[in-house]
């Protein structure tokens, strides 16, 4: 995906995952975390590998879904322990990453390789958190 597009998608999927988590939690629940973006990145990676079909190549459906299964297994293994772990945020982050990764995996590689796209996406990925903090602090 490239550095700029990759980071922008991690940021967007993390925000989408946190938003989905906020919708499913009780009204008194107040939490937002960077770990949601970590699991969103995992979902992106798994879904791009799945969407591009880099693993299956004539080896059956089990090989085809292996990236998604492996990503899900990693969420279960690393994202569900501890008393204060926000498990729902980890799964919504992973789901948002899978959703955006499935879409991004369809993008032509030559289009993603354009430096201007990577620079623009990277700039947006840097500016969005700064804008969010500015709004939050005013």
């Amino acid at each position: 995906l490239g550095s700029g597009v990759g980071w922008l998608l991690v940021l967007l999927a993390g925000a989408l995952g946190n938003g989905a988590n906020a919708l499913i939690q009780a009204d008194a629940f107040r939490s937002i975390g960077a770990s949601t973006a970590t699991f969103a990145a995992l979902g992106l990676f798994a879904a791009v590998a799945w969407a591009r079909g880099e693993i299956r190549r004539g080896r059956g459906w089990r090989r085809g879904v292996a990236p998604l299964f492996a990503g899900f297994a990693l969420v279960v293994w690393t994202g569900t322990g501890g008393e204060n772990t926000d498990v729902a945020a980890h799964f919504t982050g992973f789901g948002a990453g899978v959703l955006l990764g499935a879409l991004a995996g369809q993008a032509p590689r030559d289009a993603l390789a354009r430096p201007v796209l990577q620079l623009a996406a990277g700039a947006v990925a840097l500016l969005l958190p700064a804008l969010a903090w500015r709004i939050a602090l005013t």
Side-chain angles (χ1 to χ4, degrees):
L1 298 175
S3 298
V5 172
W7 278 112
L8 180 58
L9 289 174
V10 168
L11 178 69
L12 294 175
L16 185 62
N18 275 318
N21 186 41
L23 289 174
I24 63 173
Q25 296 288 357
D27 288 340
F29 185 82
R30 301 278 188 252
S31 177
I32 189 167
S35 63
T36 307
T38 301
F39 289 101
L42 178 61
L44 277 164
F45 178 73
V48 167
W50 168 76
R52 290 183 175 169
E54 294 172 346
I55 294 176
R56 65 178 162 252
R57 300 235 197 265
R59 295 188 177 152
W61 69 271
R62 289 183 193 153
R63 290 272 182 149
V65 297
L68 296 174
F69 177 77
F72 183 80
L74 281 170
V75 174
V76 171
W77 186 36
T78 62
T80 59
E83 184 178 319
N84 295 320
T85 302
D86 190 355
V87 176
H90 295 171
F91 280 101
T92 56
F94 180 77
V98 167
L99 177 68
L100 293 183
L103 295 172
Q106 304 301 317
R109 290 179 192 224
D110 58 335
L112 291 172
R114 294 184 180 146
V116 69
L117 173 65
Q118 293 298 328
L119 286 171
V124 171
L126 289 172
L127 291 173
L128 280 176
L131 178 63
W133 274 108
R134 181 180 169 110
I135 292 169
L137 294 174
T138 56

